[in-house]
Amino acid sequence: MSPSDTSTSPNSMTPGKKLEGLVAAAITPMTPDGQINLSVIHQYVDYLVREQNVKNIFVNGTTGEGLSLSIQERKQLAEEWVRQGKDKLDHVIIHVGALSLPESQDLARHAAAIGASGIAVIAPFFFKPTNKDELVAFLQKVASEAPGVPFYYYHIPPLTGVKIRVEELLDGIREQIPTFQGVKFSDTDLLDLAQCINKNGSEQFAFLYGVDEQLLGALAVGVNGAVGSTYNYLGRKTKLMLQAFAKPDLALAQKYQFLIGEFLNFVIKLGFGVAQTKAVMTFVSGIPMGPPRPPLVNASEEFIAKAKAKLDSIVWPDGD
Ligand SMILES: CC(=O)N[C@@H]([C@@H](O)[C@H](O)[C@H](O)CO)[C@@H](O)CC(=O)C(=O)O
């Protein structure tokens, strides 16, 4: 499908609605022979909305193996998520970051043309920006290709190695990037996160946290929501944690965080990454997510059995 064939108009998810709450980091379904499998995305959207109560999606990010996909595959996935999300999802955010600036700009223009509700960009991580100005200049050159689309910086230093503090980055950012809307903050540095929120307010920008096992700590410093892999299959439980925190019932919120942490702590010790996320999502949802793309390798049968037994053994406060 070319962008002009799409049945959605630009920004047609839920126009103007602020990005907050839970955002599932989309897994990219693949066929057993490693091709992207667009045919299950319709089912995937319905599963997120009906079973996980999650209505926002972040496409082609880390969990979606975006940097392991071709530009053509990334465009096809973006189009399918926008098409299938129409009238069902509130936000479809497309990650358009790439090592090559022209490729990133091409993806940004494409996301705008198909009606994505936002774009996000990771810091380039082979030749890296060495300071804030170099990073902002790169981001600005991508954002300006989609001048009507909200722009998010995707901060994930454990994977990019780019450790420029977000607090510093945000200083004056709207003058350079008028579409700047917020940060997907996938780091454990809560001091940096808290300073960002303290200086800018979560009214002006959206701050979305990306370390699912410690979301409660980020809620305490004022994030608006979270983007993460576990919201694909623990979205409903995490929403109950958000509700408990808002009530406020801190003891209940802690129970949910501890149980989510108990599962993640268990699987992290076994070796947990995108391949394992695909396996967990497959057994929880019943939707085949397929293998990861090399160099990642399939989760082992032993991992799958142990992760399933662990998840089944958890007794949640809501009695499920
Ligand atoms: C390094 C990594 O993959 N982090 C995940 C987390 O959701 C992570 O899977 C979770 O906290 C478990 O460790 C997300 O931040 C990634 C993400 O949002 C994305 O796929 O774009």
Side-chain angles (χ1 to χ4, degrees), residues 28-35 65 275 278 289-293 297-298:
T28 292
M30 292 192 187
T31 59
D33 63 348
Q35 304 303 309
E65 302 171 82
K278 289 184 118 165
M289 292 296 152
R293 184 155 284 179
V297 295
N298 263 328

Side-chain angles (χ1 to χ4, degrees), residues 185-203:
F185 194 102
S186 285
D187 191 27
T188 52
D189 185 350
L190 290 182
L191 173 60
D192 187 19
L193 178 63
Q195 287 306 301
C196 292
I197 296 172
N198 187 28
K199 285 189 177 168
N200 298 281
S202 48
E203 296 304 310

Side-chain angles (χ1 to χ4, degrees), residues 272-285:
F272 187 66
V274 170
Q276 289 71 23
T277 291
K278 289 184 118 165
V280 173
M281 182 61 172
T282 300
F283 73 67
V284 175
S285 69

Side-chain angles (χ1 to χ4, degrees), residues 122-126 128-130 153 155-164:
I122 202 169
F125 54 88
F126 186 71
K128 298 180 180 55
T130 58
Y153 170 53
H155 181 60
I156 185 161
L159 289 180
T160 60
V162 176
K163 299 192 170 87
I164 297 162

Side-chain angles (χ1 to χ4, degrees), residues 25 58 61-63 154 156 184 186 210-213 227-229 264 272:
F58 187 89
T62 305
T63 305
Y154 181 2
I156 185 161
K184 170 172 155 25
S186 285
V211 185
D212 312 3
E213 45 278 53
V227 185
S229 68
L264 286 172
F272 187 66

